[in-house]
Amino acid sequence: MITDALRAEYEHRFSMYDTDGDGYLTVQDFTERARRLTEAVGEPAESAKAQALHAGMRNTFEQLAALTNVDVEGRLDLDRFIEAFARAAGSGVIGKVVGPSVAATVALADADGDGVVSREEFTALQRATGFSDAQAEEAFAALDRDGDGRLMVAEWQGLVSE
């Protein structure tokens, strides 16, 4: 059973991934999301970080599609998307589904590659993913458990995967 809070989170994720707003998710939506993120932070499309994000986003779609028996050239509606995420979480494969895209997104946020994501880097990326400044601040505070105003890349990856 999915809680109301978790369903709301999945619905929010769905709306962020549905880049063309047609009510369905396709591999093109995930590719477009990767493009928008890299563009928003000024990362060149041909860079290793951008290519990793594109591959990670494609992996996420392919894994979600497989969990609901949808062809990778097909599309997911909201109910199938929620079903896929619930299955991934329930079966312990969520890391396989989102791990590569999370790792690539975190690396993208770490603009200078020092292994640390500043509040400013985090906020810029969160804005690009559709969050308000207030939501970005709230998320940063939740992730910055020691309150030092910095997120270690490995720490963020671990927390997001949880």
Side-chain angles (χ1 to χ4, degrees), residues 16-99:
M16 289 190 316
Y17 286 127
D18 187 13
T19 58
D20 61 9
D22 69 352
Y24 294 95
L25 299 180
T26 64
V27 71
Q28 290 81 17
D29 286 306
F30 285 75
T31 299
E32 176 61 14
R33 181 164 169 75
R35 186 197 66 74
R36 288 179 186 181
L37 289 174
T38 55
E39 186 176 281
V41 297
E43 186 70 28
E46 64 281 350
S47 75
K49 285 182 179 183
Q51 294 303 308
L53 183 60
H54 278 271
M57 289 292 192
R58 182 174 185 87
N59 172 76
T60 296
F61 178 79
E62 289 172 353
Q63 294 294 320
L64 293 171
L67 286 165
T68 57
N69 297 315
V70 170
D71 183 272
V72 295
E73 297 304 318
R75 58 191 195 166
L76 296 170
D77 64 12
L78 177 61
D79 289 336
R80 284 191 179 236
F81 178 79
I82 291 171
E83 174 189 342
F85 258 99
R87 279 189 185 168
S91 66
V93 298
I94 193 73
K96 182 179 176 183
V97 174
V98 299

Side-chain angles (χ1 to χ4, degrees), residues 14 25-26 49-50 65 77 101 104 127 136 153 157 160 162:
F14 182 91
L25 299 180
T26 64
K49 285 182 179 183
D77 64 12
S101 62
R127 262 191 247 114
V153 169
Q157 287 174 330
V160 170
E162 286 177 19

Side-chain angles (χ1 to χ4, degrees), residues 119 140-151 155:
R119 182 181 304 274
F140 187 88
L143 294 170
D144 184 19
R145 291 187 175 168
D146 64 5
D148 69 353
R150 308 172 334 140
L151 297 175
E155 176 186 29

Side-chain angles (χ1 to χ4, degrees), residues 122-135:
F122 182 86
T123 301
L125 185 70
Q126 293 306 306
R127 262 191 247 114
T129 63
F131 288 97
S132 69
D133 286 345
Q135 290 169 318

Side-chain angles (χ1 to χ4, degrees), residues 98-119:
V98 299
S101 62
V102 168
T105 301
V106 172
L108 188 65
D110 181 18
D112 57 11
D114 65 354
V116 177
V117 176
S118 70
R119 182 181 304 274

